[in-house]
Amino acid sequence: MPTIRDVAAHAQVSVATVSHVLNGTRFVDPRTVARVRHAIKVLGYRPNSLARGLRRNETSTIGMLLPDNSNPFFGEIARSIEDIGFTEDYNVILCNSDGSEAKEAAYVDTLLSKQIDGLILISSGNSFAPLQSILDAGVPCVVVDRELSDDVPVDQVLIDNRQGGYLAGQYLVQLGHRRIGYIAGPNQLSLSAQRLTGFRAALGEAGMALPDEAIVPGDFFYTGGADGMAELLRRVPGLTAVFAANDRMAVGAMSTLQRAGLRVPQDVSIIGYDDIPLASALYPSLTTIAQPTVEMGRTSVSLLIERIKSRGETLPVRRVTLPVHLLVRESCCPPRTGSSAKSGKSSKAAYTQ
Ligand code: RIB
């Protein structure tokens, strides 16, 4: 295995010069650079990246800490980050917090002990406080998707979740639905409240209210959507449409309706949020609010690498908010006039302000 000394001898320069060429740590005459690079190619020399990194206090490693990459929404973001990381010579360590702030904090300690160069975080909660150790360690961090309530000096790549909820509500109102239910996201997440706020705003513009009994709790899992749908059928006679705060819950809701002998969308329309690959593969295919997962990943890893490479310089904290859009597929249609979900009551009674 050729060493840096072999390269220096072949190029007839010092080992220090070879090191400066490899690490860009000092100007080297271009003719000398050419000789060194030729020697590296001829000898097949491969620099020891860990040793090089340690000299530059880098390990070329990025931590990616997210709730659950078995959810395709997170999986697509993680994949986008890993793809960019690979092209930029960074290894990515993926960790699942399972929505546990304790597990999240434990992973932070582990990742810091591995000398990561930076961290991309989709948090389990709303506060950065449990992760203060990242700031204390001076490790660059980018928060994605789940906005943090604290005014923390980290870059954030977020989504306009209020607009997402608004688009879902506006679409159902435009179809003519008046007996509408909502399966909420986990209430500890600010994005759940933002989606509900936007949804209520769209209904409010049509002179409609969304009463509390038409809102059931959810957990972003299939079973949470299935159970939430069953509760809405009990609570809301004449229900004709449901907005689920993510696609996995929308899929669970659809299974409950079909088990109850109700047709989607003829009896009850369903709209989700995320646009996971399953949404388009279902029959009927799921109408949803599409989140830009690939762009979320690309933007976050680009911001992080820029901050890693500019270490020591002061870069302003960046906050990027990406748009969402409505994807109309097959799971929504206008309500049947007169009757609706076989709860027996007319859907004429709309929610009015
Ligand atoms: O499906 C998972 C949900 O949690 C998505 O809507 C995304 O916003 C994430 O925070």
Side-chain angles (χ1 to χ4, degrees), residues 67-68 71-74 77 122-123 144-146 159 161 186 189 191-192 195 219-221 245-249 273-274 276 289 291 293 296:
D68 172 13
N71 179 334
F73 169 83
F74 298 117
I77 292 180
I122 301 183
S123 73
V144 188
D145 176 52
R146 296 181 174 182
I159 292 295
N161 285 293
L189 299 176
L191 57 80
S192 300
R195 291 175 195 173
D219 58 4
F220 281 160
F221 290 95
N246 84 327
D247 283 353
R248 294 205 297 184
M249 294 199 297
Y273 202 111
D274 287 349
I276 59 175
I289 302 299
Q291 297 211 67
T293 49
M296 291 167 83

PDB file of all heavy atoms in Angstrom, residues 67-68 71-74 77 122-123 144-146 159 161 186 189 191-192 195 219-221 245-249 273-274 276 289 291 293 296, ligand 1:
ATOM      1  N   PRO A  67     -37.675  10.526  13.784  1.00  0.00           N
ATOM      2  CA  PRO A  67     -38.548   9.666  14.597  1.00  0.00           C
ATOM      3  C   PRO A  67     -38.606   8.201  14.154  1.00  0.00           C
ATOM      4  O   PRO A  67     -38.455   7.299  14.967  1.00  0.00           O
ATOM      5  CB  PRO A  67     -39.926  10.331  14.465  1.00  0.00           C
ATOM      6  CG  PRO A  67     -39.636  11.758  14.168  1.00  0.00           C
ATOM      7  CD  PRO A  67     -38.403  11.721  13.299  1.00  0.00           C
ATOM      8  N   ASP A  68     -38.822   7.952  12.815  1.00  0.00           N
ATOM      9  CA  ASP A  68     -39.110   6.562  12.424  1.00  0.00           C
ATOM     10  C   ASP A  68     -38.989   6.404  10.925  1.00  0.00           C
ATOM     11  O   ASP A  68     -39.922   6.729  10.187  1.00  0.00           O
ATOM     12  CB  ASP A  68     -40.544   6.239  12.880  1.00  0.00           C
ATOM     13  CG  ASP A  68     -41.036   4.899  12.363  1.00  0.00           C
ATOM     14  OD1 ASP A  68     -40.190   4.114  11.860  1.00  0.00           O
ATOM     15  OD2 ASP A  68     -42.260   4.644  12.430  1.00  0.00           O
ATOM     16  N   ASN A  71     -41.581   4.999   8.379  1.00  0.00           N
ATOM     17  CA  ASN A  71     -42.597   5.866   7.765  1.00  0.00           C
ATOM     18  C   ASN A  71     -41.963   6.429   6.500  1.00  0.00           C
ATOM     19  O   ASN A  71     -40.947   7.125   6.570  1.00  0.00           O
ATOM     20  CB  ASN A  71     -42.983   7.001   8.714  1.00  0.00           C
ATOM     21  CG  ASN A  71     -44.023   7.936   8.098  1.00  0.00           C
ATOM     22  OD1 ASN A  71     -44.116   8.065   6.870  1.00  0.00           O
ATOM     23  ND2 ASN A  71     -44.781   8.589   8.952  1.00  0.00           N
ATOM     24  N   PRO A  72     -42.525   6.132   5.337  1.00  0.00           N
ATOM     25  CA  PRO A  72     -41.904   6.556   4.076  1.00  0.00           C
ATOM     26  C   PRO A  72     -41.638   8.049   4.005  1.00  0.00           C
ATOM     27  O   PRO A  72     -40.711   8.478   3.319  1.00  0.00           O
ATOM     28  CB  PRO A  72     -42.930   6.129   3.024  1.00  0.00           C
ATOM     29  CG  PRO A  72     -43.724   5.048   3.658  1.00  0.00           C
ATOM     30  CD  PRO A  72     -43.769   5.376   5.123  1.00  0.00           C
ATOM     31  N   PHE A  73     -42.424   8.854   4.754  1.00  0.00           N
ATOM     32  CA  PHE A  73     -42.147  10.298   4.730  1.00  0.00           C
ATOM     33  C   PHE A  73     -40.723  10.552   5.216  1.00  0.00           C
ATOM     34  O   PHE A  73     -39.928  11.226   4.565  1.00  0.00           O
ATOM     35  CB  PHE A  73     -43.148  11.054   5.608  1.00  0.00           C
ATOM     36  CG  PHE A  73     -42.765  12.489   5.840  1.00  0.00           C
ATOM     37  CD1 PHE A  73     -43.079  13.451   4.896  1.00  0.00           C
ATOM     38  CD2 PHE A  73     -42.055  12.856   6.969  1.00  0.00           C
ATOM     39  CE1 PHE A  73     -42.702  14.769   5.074  1.00  0.00           C
ATOM     40  CE2 PHE A  73     -41.663  14.184   7.163  1.00  0.00           C
ATOM     41  CZ  PHE A  73     -41.988  15.132   6.200  1.00  0.00           C
ATOM     42  N   PHE A  74     -40.373   9.982   6.367  1.00  0.00           N
ATOM     43  CA  PHE A  74     -39.021  10.173   6.898  1.00  0.00           C
ATOM     44  C   PHE A  74     -37.988   9.422   6.052  1.00  0.00           C
ATOM     45  O   PHE A  74     -36.863   9.882   5.864  1.00  0.00           O
ATOM     46  CB  PHE A  74     -38.956   9.682   8.348  1.00  0.00           C
ATOM     47  CG  PHE A  74     -39.852  10.421   9.283  1.00  0.00           C
ATOM     48  CD1 PHE A  74     -40.893   9.785   9.946  1.00  0.00           C
ATOM     49  CD2 PHE A  74     -39.683  11.781   9.506  1.00  0.00           C
ATOM     50  CE1 PHE A  74     -41.729  10.473  10.811  1.00  0.00           C
ATOM     51  CE2 PHE A  74     -40.516  12.479  10.364  1.00  0.00           C
ATOM     52  CZ  PHE A  74     -41.536  11.819  11.012  1.00  0.00           C
ATOM     53  N   ILE A  77     -36.900  11.492   3.111  1.00  0.00           N
ATOM     54  CA  ILE A  77     -36.000  12.589   3.504  1.00  0.00           C
ATOM     55  C   ILE A  77     -34.606  12.039   3.792  1.00  0.00           C
ATOM     56  O   ILE A  77     -33.595  12.563   3.333  1.00  0.00           O
ATOM     57  CB  ILE A  77     -36.550  13.316   4.745  1.00  0.00           C
ATOM     58  CG1 ILE A  77     -37.836  14.076   4.386  1.00  0.00           C
ATOM     59  CG2 ILE A  77     -35.518  14.292   5.312  1.00  0.00           C
ATOM     60  CD1 ILE A  77     -38.461  14.825   5.544  1.00  0.00           C
ATOM     61  N   ILE A 122     -34.874  15.752  12.977  1.00  0.00           N
ATOM     62  CA  ILE A 122     -36.339  15.891  12.967  1.00  0.00           C
ATOM     63  C   ILE A 122     -36.747  15.488  14.380  1.00  0.00           C
ATOM     64  O   ILE A 122     -36.652  14.317  14.753  1.00  0.00           O
ATOM     65  CB  ILE A 122     -37.007  14.989  11.923  1.00  0.00           C
ATOM     66  CG1 ILE A 122     -36.482  15.311  10.524  1.00  0.00           C
ATOM     67  CG2 ILE A 122     -38.529  15.169  11.988  1.00  0.00           C
ATOM     68  CD1 ILE A 122     -37.128  14.508   9.396  1.00  0.00           C
ATOM     69  N   SER A 123     -37.185  16.459  15.142  1.00  0.00           N
ATOM     70  CA  SER A 123     -37.270  16.252  16.605  1.00  0.00           C
ATOM     71  C   SER A 123     -38.522  15.472  16.993  1.00  0.00           C
ATOM     72  O   SER A 123     -39.486  15.368  16.237  1.00  0.00           O
ATOM     73  CB  SER A 123     -37.294  17.620  17.301  1.00  0.00           C
ATOM     74  OG  SER A 123     -38.555  18.205  17.083  1.00  0.00           O
ATOM     75  N   VAL A 144     -35.241  20.006  10.766  1.00  0.00           N
ATOM     76  CA  VAL A 144     -36.082  19.823   9.582  1.00  0.00           C
ATOM     77  C   VAL A 144     -37.499  19.474  10.005  1.00  0.00           C
ATOM     78  O   VAL A 144     -37.696  18.802  11.041  1.00  0.00           O
ATOM     79  CB  VAL A 144     -35.552  18.662   8.703  1.00  0.00           C
ATOM     80  CG1 VAL A 144     -36.290  18.584   7.362  1.00  0.00           C
ATOM     81  CG2 VAL A 144     -34.066  18.815   8.475  1.00  0.00           C
ATOM     82  N   ASP A 145     -38.486  19.964   9.256  1.00  0.00           N
ATOM     83  CA  ASP A 145     -39.878  19.518   9.342  1.00  0.00           C
ATOM     84  C   ASP A 145     -40.585  19.959  10.615  1.00  0.00           C
ATOM     85  O   ASP A 145     -41.664  20.538  10.558  1.00  0.00           O
ATOM     86  CB  ASP A 145     -39.941  17.977   9.233  1.00  0.00           C
ATOM     87  CG  ASP A 145     -41.336  17.422   9.416  1.00  0.00           C
ATOM     88  OD1 ASP A 145     -42.268  17.897   8.723  1.00  0.00           O
ATOM     89  OD2 ASP A 145     -41.504  16.538  10.268  1.00  0.00           O
ATOM     90  N   ARG A 146     -40.039  19.695  11.765  1.00  0.00           N
ATOM     91  CA  ARG A 146     -40.735  19.991  13.023  1.00  0.00           C
ATOM     92  C   ARG A 146     -40.102  21.217  13.686  1.00  0.00           C
ATOM     93  O   ARG A 146     -39.015  21.156  14.254  1.00  0.00           O
ATOM     94  CB  ARG A 146     -40.710  18.774  13.958  1.00  0.00           C
ATOM     95  CG  ARG A 146     -41.474  17.619  13.324  1.00  0.00           C
ATOM     96  CD  ARG A 146     -41.523  16.385  14.167  1.00  0.00           C
ATOM     97  NE  ARG A 146     -42.398  15.383  13.556  1.00  0.00           N
ATOM     98  CZ  ARG A 146     -42.659  14.196  14.110  1.00  0.00           C
ATOM     99  NH1 ARG A 146     -42.103  13.884  15.273  1.00  0.00           N
ATOM    100  NH2 ARG A 146     -43.454  13.342  13.510  1.00  0.00           N
ATOM    101  N   ILE A 159     -41.995  23.507   6.762  1.00  0.00           N
ATOM    102  CA  ILE A 159     -43.081  23.403   5.791  1.00  0.00           C
ATOM    103  C   ILE A 159     -44.182  24.366   6.192  1.00  0.00           C
ATOM    104  O   ILE A 159     -44.411  24.583   7.387  1.00  0.00           O
ATOM    105  CB  ILE A 159     -43.623  21.952   5.776  1.00  0.00           C
ATOM    106  CG1 ILE A 159     -42.576  21.008   5.212  1.00  0.00           C
ATOM    107  CG2 ILE A 159     -44.927  21.854   4.992  1.00  0.00           C
ATOM    108  CD1 ILE A 159     -42.222  21.243   3.765  1.00  0.00           C
ATOM    109  N   ASN A 161     -47.252  24.406   7.075  1.00  0.00           N
ATOM    110  CA  ASN A 161     -48.299  23.455   7.472  1.00  0.00           C
ATOM    111  C   ASN A 161     -49.671  24.100   7.594  1.00  0.00           C
ATOM    112  O   ASN A 161     -50.693  23.439   7.404  1.00  0.00           O
ATOM    113  CB  ASN A 161     -47.927  22.782   8.785  1.00  0.00           C
ATOM    114  CG  ASN A 161     -46.853  21.742   8.607  1.00  0.00           C
ATOM    115  OD1 ASN A 161     -47.092  20.705   7.972  1.00  0.00           O
ATOM    116  ND2 ASN A 161     -45.673  22.010   9.120  1.00  0.00           N
ATOM    117  N   PRO A 186     -50.203  14.192  16.477  1.00  0.00           N
ATOM    118  CA  PRO A 186     -49.847  14.214  17.897  1.00  0.00           C
ATOM    119  C   PRO A 186     -49.866  15.644  18.431  1.00  0.00           C
ATOM    120  O   PRO A 186     -49.248  16.531  17.833  1.00  0.00           O
ATOM    121  CB  PRO A 186     -48.440  13.630  17.913  1.00  0.00           C
ATOM    122  CG  PRO A 186     -48.366  12.783  16.686  1.00  0.00           C
ATOM    123  CD  PRO A 186     -49.198  13.489  15.668  1.00  0.00           C
ATOM    124  N   LEU A 189     -46.901  18.259  18.880  1.00  0.00           N
ATOM    125  CA  LEU A 189     -46.151  18.815  17.751  1.00  0.00           C
ATOM    126  C   LEU A 189     -46.826  20.084  17.236  1.00  0.00           C
ATOM    127  O   LEU A 189     -48.037  20.089  16.953  1.00  0.00           O
ATOM    128  CB  LEU A 189     -46.058  17.788  16.618  1.00  0.00           C
ATOM    129  CG  LEU A 189     -45.341  16.479  16.958  1.00  0.00           C
ATOM    130  CD1 LEU A 189     -45.415  15.527  15.771  1.00  0.00           C
ATOM    131  CD2 LEU A 189     -43.898  16.740  17.364  1.00  0.00           C
ATOM    132  N   LEU A 191     -46.706  21.347  14.393  1.00  0.00           N
ATOM    133  CA  LEU A 191     -47.243  21.207  13.032  1.00  0.00           C
ATOM    134  C   LEU A 191     -48.666  20.651  13.046  1.00  0.00           C
ATOM    135  O   LEU A 191     -49.470  20.936  12.151  1.00  0.00           O
ATOM    136  CB  LEU A 191     -46.339  20.365  12.149  1.00  0.00           C
ATOM    137  CG  LEU A 191     -45.972  18.940  12.563  1.00  0.00           C
ATOM    138  CD1 LEU A 191     -47.055  17.935  12.247  1.00  0.00           C
ATOM    139  CD2 LEU A 191     -44.693  18.523  11.879  1.00  0.00           C
ATOM    140  N   SER A 192     -49.005  19.887  14.085  1.00  0.00           N
ATOM    141  CA  SER A 192     -50.389  19.386  14.185  1.00  0.00           C
ATOM    142  C   SER A 192     -51.350  20.560  14.373  1.00  0.00           C
ATOM    143  O   SER A 192     -52.390  20.648  13.706  1.00  0.00           O
ATOM    144  CB  SER A 192     -50.510  18.406  15.357  1.00  0.00           C
ATOM    145  OG  SER A 192     -49.645  17.301  15.171  1.00  0.00           O
ATOM    146  N   ARG A 195     -51.677  22.617  11.109  1.00  0.00           N
ATOM    147  CA  ARG A 195     -52.570  22.027  10.099  1.00  0.00           C
ATOM    148  C   ARG A 195     -54.036  22.239  10.483  1.00  0.00           C
ATOM    149  O   ARG A 195     -54.867  22.579   9.635  1.00  0.00           O
ATOM    150  CB  ARG A 195     -52.240  20.540   9.923  1.00  0.00           C
ATOM    151  CG  ARG A 195     -50.894  20.329   9.273  1.00  0.00           C
ATOM    152  CD  ARG A 195     -50.439  18.896   9.168  1.00  0.00           C
ATOM    153  NE  ARG A 195     -49.011  18.879   8.849  1.00  0.00           N
ATOM    154  CZ  ARG A 195     -48.265  17.786   8.808  1.00  0.00           C
ATOM    155  NH1 ARG A 195     -48.799  16.590   9.039  1.00  0.00           N
ATOM    156  NH2 ARG A 195     -46.978  17.862   8.528  1.00  0.00           N
ATOM    157  N   ASP A 219     -52.143   9.726  16.026  1.00  0.00           N
ATOM    158  CA  ASP A 219     -50.730   9.506  16.400  1.00  0.00           C
ATOM    159  C   ASP A 219     -49.809   9.328  15.193  1.00  0.00           C
ATOM    160  O   ASP A 219     -48.664   8.908  15.331  1.00  0.00           O
ATOM    161  CB  ASP A 219     -50.635   8.262  17.291  1.00  0.00           C
ATOM    162  CG  ASP A 219     -51.209   7.019  16.588  1.00  0.00           C
ATOM    163  OD1 ASP A 219     -51.594   7.128  15.390  1.00  0.00           O
ATOM    164  OD2 ASP A 219     -51.292   5.971  17.244  1.00  0.00           O
ATOM    165  N   PHE A 220     -50.320   9.602  13.993  1.00  0.00           N
ATOM    166  CA  PHE A 220     -49.555   9.459  12.749  1.00  0.00           C
ATOM    167  C   PHE A 220     -49.310   8.001  12.342  1.00  0.00           C
ATOM    168  O   PHE A 220     -48.544   7.744  11.411  1.00  0.00           O
ATOM    169  CB  PHE A 220     -48.217  10.194  12.819  1.00  0.00           C
ATOM    170  CG  PHE A 220     -48.323  11.684  12.599  1.00  0.00           C
ATOM    171  CD1 PHE A 220     -47.311  12.536  13.038  1.00  0.00           C
ATOM    172  CD2 PHE A 220     -49.406  12.259  11.948  1.00  0.00           C
ATOM    173  CE1 PHE A 220     -47.376  13.917  12.835  1.00  0.00           C
ATOM    174  CE2 PHE A 220     -49.479  13.628  11.746  1.00  0.00           C
ATOM    175  CZ  PHE A 220     -48.459  14.453  12.190  1.00  0.00           C
ATOM    176  N   PHE A 221     -49.922   7.048  13.029  1.00  0.00           N
ATOM    177  CA  PHE A 221     -49.791   5.632  12.641  1.00  0.00           C
ATOM    178  C   PHE A 221     -51.089   5.133  11.995  1.00  0.00           C
ATOM    179  O   PHE A 221     -52.157   5.724  12.187  1.00  0.00           O
ATOM    180  CB  PHE A 221     -49.463   4.766  13.873  1.00  0.00           C
ATOM    181  CG  PHE A 221     -48.078   4.976  14.420  1.00  0.00           C
ATOM    182  CD1 PHE A 221     -47.858   5.867  15.458  1.00  0.00           C
ATOM    183  CD2 PHE A 221     -46.989   4.308  13.873  1.00  0.00           C
ATOM    184  CE1 PHE A 221     -46.585   6.105  15.957  1.00  0.00           C
ATOM    185  CE2 PHE A 221     -45.705   4.521  14.382  1.00  0.00           C
ATOM    186  CZ  PHE A 221     -45.503   5.421  15.418  1.00  0.00           C
ATOM    187  N   ALA A 245     -54.399  13.955   9.336  1.00  0.00           N
ATOM    188  CA  ALA A 245     -53.204  14.824   9.368  1.00  0.00           C
ATOM    189  C   ALA A 245     -51.956  14.170   8.796  1.00  0.00           C
ATOM    190  O   ALA A 245     -50.912  14.822   8.720  1.00  0.00           O
ATOM    191  CB  ALA A 245     -52.950  15.292  10.796  1.00  0.00           C
ATOM    192  N   ASN A 246     -52.002  12.887   8.447  1.00  0.00           N
ATOM    193  CA  ASN A 246     -50.939  12.304   7.609  1.00  0.00           C
ATOM    194  C   ASN A 246     -51.482  11.100   6.856  1.00  0.00           C
ATOM    195  O   ASN A 246     -52.561  10.580   7.160  1.00  0.00           O
ATOM    196  CB  ASN A 246     -49.696  11.962   8.438  1.00  0.00           C
ATOM    197  CG  ASN A 246     -49.803  10.603   9.115  1.00  0.00           C
ATOM    198  OD1 ASN A 246     -50.881  10.181   9.491  1.00  0.00           O
ATOM    199  ND2 ASN A 246     -48.663   9.932   9.262  1.00  0.00           N
ATOM    200  N   ASP A 247     -50.729  10.666   5.838  1.00  0.00           N
ATOM    201  CA  ASP A 247     -51.241   9.617   4.941  1.00  0.00           C
ATOM    202  C   ASP A 247     -51.432   8.284   5.653  1.00  0.00           C
ATOM    203  O   ASP A 247     -52.365   7.543   5.351  1.00  0.00           O
ATOM    204  CB  ASP A 247     -50.266   9.428   3.768  1.00  0.00           C
ATOM    205  CG  ASP A 247     -50.383  10.532   2.731  1.00  0.00           C
ATOM    206  OD1 ASP A 247     -51.313  11.369   2.841  1.00  0.00           O
ATOM    207  OD2 ASP A 247     -49.540  10.574   1.825  1.00  0.00           O
ATOM    208  N   ARG A 248     -50.510   7.928   6.564  1.00  0.00           N
ATOM    209  CA  ARG A 248     -50.675   6.624   7.222  1.00  0.00           C
ATOM    210  C   ARG A 248     -52.007   6.573   7.973  1.00  0.00           C
ATOM    211  O   ARG A 248     -52.718   5.562   7.941  1.00  0.00           O
ATOM    212  CB  ARG A 248     -49.507   6.333   8.167  1.00  0.00           C
ATOM    213  CG  ARG A 248     -48.185   6.144   7.448  1.00  0.00           C
ATOM    214  CD  ARG A 248     -47.180   5.304   8.187  1.00  0.00           C
ATOM    215  NE  ARG A 248     -46.752   5.857   9.461  1.00  0.00           N
ATOM    216  CZ  ARG A 248     -45.807   5.275  10.222  1.00  0.00           C
ATOM    217  NH1 ARG A 248     -45.215   4.170   9.815  1.00  0.00           N
ATOM    218  NH2 ARG A 248     -45.453   5.798  11.365  1.00  0.00           N
ATOM    219  N   MET A 249     -52.396   7.651   8.612  1.00  0.00           N
ATOM    220  CA  MET A 249     -53.697   7.657   9.309  1.00  0.00           C
ATOM    221  C   MET A 249     -54.846   7.655   8.299  1.00  0.00           C
ATOM    222  O   MET A 249     -55.891   7.026   8.523  1.00  0.00           O
ATOM    223  CB  MET A 249     -53.813   8.854  10.237  1.00  0.00           C
ATOM    224  CG  MET A 249     -52.847   8.853  11.409  1.00  0.00           C
ATOM    225  SD  MET A 249     -53.334   9.931  12.757  1.00  0.00           S
ATOM    226  CE  MET A 249     -53.291  11.534  11.944  1.00  0.00           C
ATOM    227  N   TYR A 273     -52.157  13.640   4.140  1.00  0.00           N
ATOM    228  CA  TYR A 273     -51.078  14.665   4.166  1.00  0.00           C
ATOM    229  C   TYR A 273     -49.728  13.950   4.125  1.00  0.00           C
ATOM    230  O   TYR A 273     -49.513  13.037   4.934  1.00  0.00           O
ATOM    231  CB  TYR A 273     -51.204  15.458   5.471  1.00  0.00           C
ATOM    232  CG  TYR A 273     -50.570  16.829   5.490  1.00  0.00           C
ATOM    233  CD1 TYR A 273     -51.349  17.991   5.533  1.00  0.00           C
ATOM    234  CD2 TYR A 273     -49.187  16.981   5.478  1.00  0.00           C
ATOM    235  CE1 TYR A 273     -50.780  19.260   5.577  1.00  0.00           C
ATOM    236  CE2 TYR A 273     -48.599  18.243   5.524  1.00  0.00           C
ATOM    237  CZ  TYR A 273     -49.390  19.369   5.567  1.00  0.00           C
ATOM    238  OH  TYR A 273     -48.822  20.632   5.605  1.00  0.00           O
ATOM    239  N   ASP A 274     -48.894  14.225   3.243  1.00  0.00           N
ATOM    240  CA  ASP A 274     -47.513  13.768   3.041  1.00  0.00           C
ATOM    241  C   ASP A 274     -47.225  13.421   1.587  1.00  0.00           C
ATOM    242  O   ASP A 274     -46.236  13.836   1.040  1.00  0.00           O
ATOM    243  CB  ASP A 274     -47.135  12.507   3.886  1.00  0.00           C
ATOM    244  CG  ASP A 274     -46.966  12.790   5.350  1.00  0.00           C
ATOM    245  OD1 ASP A 274     -46.925  13.963   5.715  1.00  0.00           O
ATOM    246  OD2 ASP A 274     -46.891  11.835   6.148  1.00  0.00           O
ATOM    247  N   ILE A 276     -46.979   9.932   0.621  1.00  0.00           N
ATOM    248  CA  ILE A 276     -46.061   8.774   0.640  1.00  0.00           C
ATOM    249  C   ILE A 276     -46.350   7.929  -0.611  1.00  0.00           C
ATOM    250  O   ILE A 276     -47.444   8.019  -1.195  1.00  0.00           O
ATOM    251  CB  ILE A 276     -46.249   7.941   1.926  1.00  0.00           C
ATOM    252  CG1 ILE A 276     -47.681   7.417   2.057  1.00  0.00           C
ATOM    253  CG2 ILE A 276     -45.860   8.754   3.154  1.00  0.00           C
ATOM    254  CD1 ILE A 276     -47.893   6.478   3.248  1.00  0.00           C
ATOM    255  N   ILE A 289     -52.119  16.133   0.664  1.00  0.00           N
ATOM    256  CA  ILE A 289     -51.300  17.358   0.605  1.00  0.00           C
ATOM    257  C   ILE A 289     -49.851  16.890   0.490  1.00  0.00           C
ATOM    258  O   ILE A 289     -49.322  16.240   1.395  1.00  0.00           O
ATOM    259  CB  ILE A 289     -51.493  18.215   1.875  1.00  0.00           C
ATOM    260  CG1 ILE A 289     -52.978  18.573   2.033  1.00  0.00           C
ATOM    261  CG2 ILE A 289     -50.630  19.466   1.804  1.00  0.00           C
ATOM    262  CD1 ILE A 289     -53.594  19.374   0.903  1.00  0.00           C
ATOM    263  N   GLN A 291     -45.935  16.840   0.502  1.00  0.00           N
ATOM    264  CA  GLN A 291     -44.796  17.515   1.119  1.00  0.00           C
ATOM    265  C   GLN A 291     -43.558  17.298   0.253  1.00  0.00           C
ATOM    266  O   GLN A 291     -43.322  16.175  -0.226  1.00  0.00           O
ATOM    267  CB  GLN A 291     -44.556  16.975   2.525  1.00  0.00           C
ATOM    268  CG  GLN A 291     -45.689  17.205   3.504  1.00  0.00           C
ATOM    269  CD  GLN A 291     -45.166  17.368   4.924  1.00  0.00           C
ATOM    270  OE1 GLN A 291     -44.482  18.346   5.225  1.00  0.00           O
ATOM    271  NE2 GLN A 291     -45.489  16.438   5.791  1.00  0.00           N
ATOM    272  N   THR A 293     -40.471  16.164   0.138  1.00  0.00           N
ATOM    273  CA  THR A 293     -39.498  15.436   0.973  1.00  0.00           C
ATOM    274  C   THR A 293     -38.090  15.483   0.405  1.00  0.00           C
ATOM    275  O   THR A 293     -37.114  15.705   1.134  1.00  0.00           O
ATOM    276  CB  THR A 293     -39.929  13.957   1.114  1.00  0.00           C
ATOM    277  OG1 THR A 293     -40.227  13.445  -0.190  1.00  0.00           O
ATOM    278  CG2 THR A 293     -41.131  13.831   2.018  1.00  0.00           C
ATOM    279  N   MET A 296     -36.700  18.853   0.950  1.00  0.00           N
ATOM    280  CA  MET A 296     -36.420  19.053   2.388  1.00  0.00           C
ATOM    281  C   MET A 296     -35.061  18.448   2.746  1.00  0.00           C
ATOM    282  O   MET A 296     -34.244  19.055   3.424  1.00  0.00           O
ATOM    283  CB  MET A 296     -37.517  18.402   3.235  1.00  0.00           C
ATOM    284  CG  MET A 296     -38.876  19.078   3.153  1.00  0.00           C
ATOM    285  SD  MET A 296     -40.199  18.077   3.864  1.00  0.00           S
ATOM    286  CE  MET A 296     -40.026  18.486   5.601  1.00  0.00           C
TER     287      MET A 296
HETATM  288  O1  RIB B   1     -46.140  11.100   8.598  1.00  0.00           O
HETATM  289  C1  RIB B   1     -45.321  11.682   9.566  1.00  0.00           C
HETATM  290  C2  RIB B   1     -45.694  13.094   9.821  1.00  0.00           C
HETATM  291  O2  RIB B   1     -44.774  13.588  10.777  1.00  0.00           O
HETATM  292  C3  RIB B   1     -45.574  13.953   8.571  1.00  0.00           C
HETATM  293  O3  RIB B   1     -46.797  14.635   8.279  1.00  0.00           O
HETATM  294  C4  RIB B   1     -44.419  14.878   8.855  1.00  0.00           C
HETATM  295  O4  RIB B   1     -44.800  16.241   8.863  1.00  0.00           O
HETATM  296  C5  RIB B   1     -43.829  14.417  10.171  1.00  0.00           C
HETATM  297  O5  RIB B   1     -43.548  15.468  11.038  1.00  0.00           O
END
